[in-house]
Amino acid sequence: MTERPTVFSGMQPSGDLHLGNLLGALRPWVLEQHLFHNYFCVVDLHALTVPQDPLALAAKTRELAALYIASGIDPDSSTLLVQSHVSEHSELAWILGCFTPMGWLERMTQYKDKTRHSAQERISSGLFTYPVLMAADILLYRTNFVTVGEDQRQHLELTRNLATRFNHLMGDVFVIPEPRIGQLGGGARVMSLEDPASKMSKSDDSDWGVIALLDPPDRIRAKFRRAKTDSGSSVDMEAPSPGVANLLDIYRALTGCSQDALTSEFQGIGYGQLKDKVADQVIAALEPIQRRYRDLTADPVGLDAILARGAEAARGVASATLREVRSRIGLLPPSGSGPL
Ligand code: TYM
């Protein structure tokens, strides 16, 4: 039997998971789970790049793991881990940071966007080196594909460049990973319902633009009813405005329908009807996730056992990669444990 390619991906346990996270990443993870050898990570160390309340961070870490499983990740066939439970992530990040030119990090648009309105004194150096830790996450597992939303493309390009640079300088150690973005049609960049020019985001000022995965059905419907469209009243599939295009994209991502089917379903229908149809799909998709989530969070001990098992499995692979890296760069092994 040929080995299945490896997928690694992760999400931060900060803020509430939203429809963009689901359609850009979590749903594709679930739908393609059987094709790959998977690592799905809760990246708690990345969350530390901005201030966090300690109790809330711990609770969110567990909640996010529960949401992965509630959405359909099978912890028996995929490895589910918390980033900080596998210390190899931090160690490789340090090493890779020493191979990363500052200029590469200064060009990261997410860093520039996140820091545009902050005083230099308030920005942590962790936020600046964030993409290096992300590269370490990915490269530790000899990852072939990284399934993410469109907003992570630049970070993945940096990961690829960094792996190529390291391999060139120190000899081939790392697999060069490929981004896997929008493969299922739709959902790679879900926009805010209130401002369709910006992406749906955990850090959105207003809650009206963001559908949280745990929002109750009436709240979801109300948010869609208020979604920004344009001054027209019915759908023109030839040239939908950004707000309408976003609603159509959400519908397409959830139903998996073709562009032709989308056109015949929506051409000429009123905006009110469009919003209701999309809300119906979203509510139907979230209902089973919310139900399973409630069951899972009622058993935190069971959840912690799953995470402990995941960390153990991940550590086996991560430590082998790190051992090779350490040896390539000349770090003396702890006594008796290496060939040098
Ligand atoms: P995070 O936590 O910001 O987002 C998690 C995933 O959700 C996707 N996403 C979206 N997709 C479509 N539309 C949106 N509006 C939207 N908003 C978010 C993101 O693209 C992402 O796939 N840096 C990563 C976490 C990370 C990681 C990794 C990912 C750390 N290490 C290694 C992959 C591999 C992040 O902050 O994701």
Side-chain angles (χ1 to χ4, degrees):
M1 209 177 80
T2 53
E3 276 271 304
R4 283 173 295 167
T6 297
V7 160
F8 183 98
S9 199
M11 294 195 189
Q12 295 191 58
S14 52
D16 292 328
L17 225 63
H18 57 70
L19 192 60
N21 300 131
L22 181 72
L23 300 184
L26 193 45
R27 222 172 117 86
W29 299 355
V30 170
L31 294 176
E32 295 189 329
Q33 196 172 193
H34 61 291
L35 299 177
F36 301 113
H37 180 69
N38 304 288
Y39 295 89
F40 297 122
C41 190
V42 177
V43 294
D44 54 349
L45 296 172
H46 275 108
L48 293 177
T49 54
V50 295
Q52 300 288 343
D53 171 72
L55 286 178
L57 178 62
K60 284 269 167 217
T61 299
R62 236 196 227 123
E63 278 172 31
L64 183 51
L67 268 174
Y68 284 3
I69 301 171
S71 301
I73 298 299
D74 172 7
D76 290 329
S77 60
S78 294
T79 301
L80 213 160
L81 69 143
V82 174
Q83 186 185 35
S84 68
H85 291 178
V86 182
S87 56
E88 282 80 357
H89 290 245
S90 314
E91 190 173 342
L92 182 61
W94 174 262
I95 294 171
L96 289 177
C98 299
F99 286 80
T100 311
M102 294 277 282
W104 290 11
L105 297 174
E106 279 160 0
R107 281 198 286 278
M108 292 294 109
T109 53
Q110 276 211 355
Y111 174 74
K112 288 195 261 186
D113 288 347
K114 282 194 177 165
T115 54
R116 188 158 293 136
H117 303 294
S118 311
Q120 196 74 12
E121 285 304 311
R122 293 180 152 267
I123 302 166
S124 73
S125 59
L127 195 61
F128 184 62
T129 55
Y130 177 113
V132 179
L133 177 59
M134 180 163 163
D137 297 341
I138 296 166
L139 298 176
L140 273 178
Y141 298 94
R142 306 180 191 274
T143 300
N144 302 102
F145 297 110
V146 184
T147 308
V148 282
E150 184 60 50
D151 62 346
Q152 298 299 315
R153 193 181 285 281
Q154 196 187 31
H155 288 156
L156 290 183
E157 207 43 50
L158 185 135
T159 301
R160 287 167 57 83
N161 291 339
L162 192 46
T164 306
R165 179 183 168 89
F166 188 97
N167 284 351
H168 175 71
L169 293 171
M170 296 292 156
D172 278 350
V173 177
F174 296 127
V175 171
I176 312 295
E178 302 276 342
R180 206 165 162 80
I181 299 173
Q183 299 289 326
L184 302 173
R189 188 171 175 82
V190 176
M191 309 307 280
S192 156
L193 299 186
E194 214 174 30
D195 171 17
S198 40
K199 71 169 183 183
M200 190 177 283
S201 158
K202 288 172 193 157
S203 50
D204 221 327
D205 290 339
S206 153
D207 171 56
W208 283 102
V210 182
I211 302 287
L213 297 195
L214 298 176
D215 272 348
D218 54 344
R219 184 106 182 104
I220 294 174
R221 197 168 295 284
K223 287 182 180 177
F224 274 105
R225 291 229 165 111
R226 264 183 60 156
K228 183 156 183 238
T229 48
D230 54 62
S231 58
S233 58
S234 64
V235 177
D236 172 8
M237 290 297 291
E238 291 286 308
S241 59
V244 173
N246 188 38
L247 296 175
L248 292 167
D249 185 63
I250 292 171
Y251 188 88
R252 178 149 184 232
L254 281 171
T255 58
C257 72
S258 67
Q259 190 59 34
D260 285 352
L262 199 67
T263 302
S264 64
E265 174 133 21
F266 288 108
Q267 177 59 34
I269 79 162
Y271 286 162
Q273 231 186 322
L274 166 69
K275 289 175 175 180
D276 277 346
K277 278 182 179 244
V278 180
D280 287 344
Q281 285 296 336
V282 172
I283 291 166
L286 295 186
E287 191 276 327
I289 297 178
Q290 296 180 353
R291 191 165 18 86
R292 285 196 293 261
Y293 173 79
R294 280 192 292 271
D295 293 344
L296 285 159
T297 46
D299 178 19
V301 176
L303 207 53
D304 289 353
I306 290 174
L307 294 175
R309 209 161 19 97
E312 187 65 35
R315 213 173 284 127
V317 178
S319 62
T321 307
L322 188 63
R323 216 174 304 122
E324 198 177 338
V325 170
R326 290 177 55 105
S327 142
R328 290 293 169 110
I329 61 177
L331 298 181
L332 191 66
S335 58
S337 68
L340 272 182

